[in-house]
Amino acid sequence: MIDECKLSEQQDQHSKDPFPIYTVIDKQCKHSKEEKDSWFEISPYEAGYSLTGAFVGTSSFGSQFEYGSKKNTQDEMDMLYLQALCGSAIADEDEILKFLWEKIKDFFKHPFHLGMLEEMKKDPKAPPVEKCYQVLMDLVDMNLSVLNGKDPSALDQSIRTNLKDKMVPAALLESETRDYEDAGLLNNSPYFSVLREERHVDLIISLDFSESDPFSTVREAAEMCKKLNIAFPEVNIPHKDLKKPKDFYVFKGQNAPTVIHIPLFNVVNCGDDIEAWKNKYATFQGSYSAEMITELMEVAGKNISNNREKLKELIGATVGQKKRCLIS
């Protein structure tokens, strides 16, 4: 069923249900080293930049503004479009290229191709394949360096003697419109909308669904918060937990919100089969069957049911602390 409802129509529907906050990132800000606020949020009431504080009413999201005044009105997007926007990971060309270049590099490192290289080196009439191979790998590394915002000059000599094409993509141009894309391309958990100063957040329950490192989102959030001077607890993960995560972590800090972090696949709900579960439910694969969806929901549900009492205890303690602070 196509959901043609508008998000602003949900303003009076959340007295009991969780308040929805949809998040995307500003593509131009993400690629600009000067910009600090890439996080954009849309709720039933307002849409705007979480850290900067520039907002408009949700019904006006998509319209054109000049010096704070609306100059061109556009109809509010429906929920179908909004949800597609929030899941638009393929909208970022650099991220796609980065993924493809990594795959190319892995391809040429495969034992089969390395074996072919060894066989070719035995032929005295063969071209200098080892040198060509190194140039190819340097080319891949140079692309990855550029896409990761690193200096590729160290690889320049190898490339310069064989290739003359420019590797660096042209800089993004300023425009009157903004491009938004899947927030997971910057951090796969919406910490920075939750951490908006006006929200006075005391407790964050982080349910991590990342495909690779189950701690990457919370660690990246901690690092970014440190750079932006936003209160956030230190995140220290025991080395033995990196590949075998538990199902419940609590991070606390002075004058910072408490963060509960729950990896999707862990030693409690998956036992010793964590990698098998990760491989089965990879991001880049076809549609999940009904059976897979049911199985995944059951595993995710165990993370809440198994930790119900811990969650209630920490929520209660946080509410109690808040009340004491308000009274004092």
Side-chain angles (χ1 to χ4, degrees):
M1 181 178 178
I2 296 177
D3 188 353
E4 296 181 345
C5 295
K6 309 293 193 298
L7 183 59
S8 63
E9 296 172 357
Q10 300 181 21
Q11 291 182 3
D12 301 321
Q13 299 178 17
H14 300 285
S15 58
K16 295 182 180 179
D17 297 331
F19 185 74
I21 302 174
Y22 291 83
T23 58
V24 291
I25 53 173
D26 185 306
K27 184 176 178 180
Q28 288 96 328
C29 290
K30 175 177 178 284
H31 289 282
S32 173
K33 290 181 172 59
E34 290 76 26
E35 288 285 353
K36 293 183 178 180
D37 189 2
S38 301
W39 295 275
F40 191 93
E41 63 180 79
I42 310 107
S43 75
Y45 293 94
E46 57 187 359
Y49 292 84
S50 301
L51 304 184
T52 302
F55 283 83
V56 298
T58 299
S59 59
S60 297
F61 178 44
S63 299
Q64 288 186 318
F65 289 80
E66 186 173 5
Y67 297 108
S69 298
K70 188 187 298 185
K71 69 174 185 178
N72 186 14
T73 300
Q74 181 172 309
D75 292 339
E76 182 182 353
M77 65 181 67
D78 58 33
M79 292 300 298
L80 183 68
Y81 188 98
L82 176 61
Q83 290 169 359
L85 177 65
C86 293
S88 57
I90 59 173
D92 194 307
E93 299 91 340
D94 282 358
E95 293 293 338
I96 296 170
L97 286 171
K98 192 185 299 183
F99 173 78
L100 292 176
W101 279 114
E102 289 284 5
K103 290 296 182 185
I104 290 172
K105 191 170 183 178
D106 290 343
F107 174 80
F108 283 107
K109 284 184 175 179
H110 192 278
F112 173 75
H113 298 102
L114 293 177
M116 288 182 62
L117 178 63
E118 292 300 319
E119 289 298 318
M120 293 177 70
K121 287 197 294 186
K122 295 177 183 178
D123 185 354
K125 296 182 180 180
V129 291
E130 189 168 24
K131 183 177 181 181
C132 293
Y133 176 80
Q134 187 58 52
V135 169
L136 179 61
M137 297 309 294
D138 286 346
L139 177 60
V140 174
D141 283 330
M142 177 174 275
N143 273 273
L144 289 171
S145 295
V146 172
L147 292 170
N148 285 311
K150 298 178 180 178
D151 183 5
S153 58
L155 301 162
D156 185 59
Q157 188 59 39
S158 171
I159 305 299
R160 188 177 294 278
T161 56
N162 291 274
L163 299 172
K164 296 181 180 180
D165 294 336
K166 290 185 176 180
M167 294 293 134
V168 182
L172 291 172
L173 299 177
E174 293 292 333
S175 66
E176 293 184 359
T177 60
R178 308 303 298 175
D179 297 323
Y180 298 111
E181 57 190 19
D182 192 323
L185 293 171
L186 195 58
N187 188 300
N188 206 29
S189 198
Y191 286 102
F192 291 95
S193 288
V194 175
L195 288 167
R196 185 176 157 193
E197 187 176 0
E198 295 84 353
R199 293 204 162 104
H200 304 290
V201 170
D202 298 289
L203 178 66
I204 297 174
I205 301 175
S206 166
L207 304 176
D208 188 72
F209 294 90
S210 298
E211 181 184 37
S212 55
D213 180 359
F215 302 106
S216 61
T217 56
V218 68
R219 285 194 294 203
E220 289 169 6
E223 291 171 5
M224 184 62 71
C225 283
K226 189 174 183 179
K227 292 179 182 177
L228 300 177
N229 294 317
I230 297 174
F232 199 86
E234 287 191 17
V235 176
N236 298 309
I237 312 295
H239 183 74
K240 60 184 177 62
D241 289 13
L242 296 178
K243 290 190 176 181
K244 293 185 176 181
K246 300 183 179 68
D247 66 341
F248 198 84
Y249 293 86
V250 180
F251 305 109
K252 294 184 178 182
Q254 189 71 27
N255 299 318
T258 297
V259 177
I260 299 172
H261 188 70
I262 301 178
L264 173 58
F265 301 128
N266 52 73
V267 294
V268 178
N269 63 6
C270 297
D272 294 327
D273 299 324
I274 293 176
E275 288 302 317
W277 279 91
K278 283 185 178 181
N279 293 333
K280 182 175 182 179
Y281 291 97
T283 300
F284 293 98
Q285 66 178 52
S287 301
Y288 290 180
S289 65
E291 292 77 13
M292 290 177 70
I293 293 173
T294 300
E295 183 182 52
L296 187 59
M297 291 294 289
E298 288 177 352
V299 170
K302 288 179 181 178
N303 288 330
I304 302 300
S305 58
N306 290 343
N307 295 293
R308 186 186 306 275
E309 295 307 314
K310 293 180 185 177
L311 286 165
K312 289 168 62 177
E313 180 182 345
L314 278 166
I315 292 171
T318 303
V319 172
Q321 178 65 29
K322 190 74 169 183
K323 287 180 178 178
R324 288 191 291 275
C325 290
L326 291 174
I327 292 173
S328 60

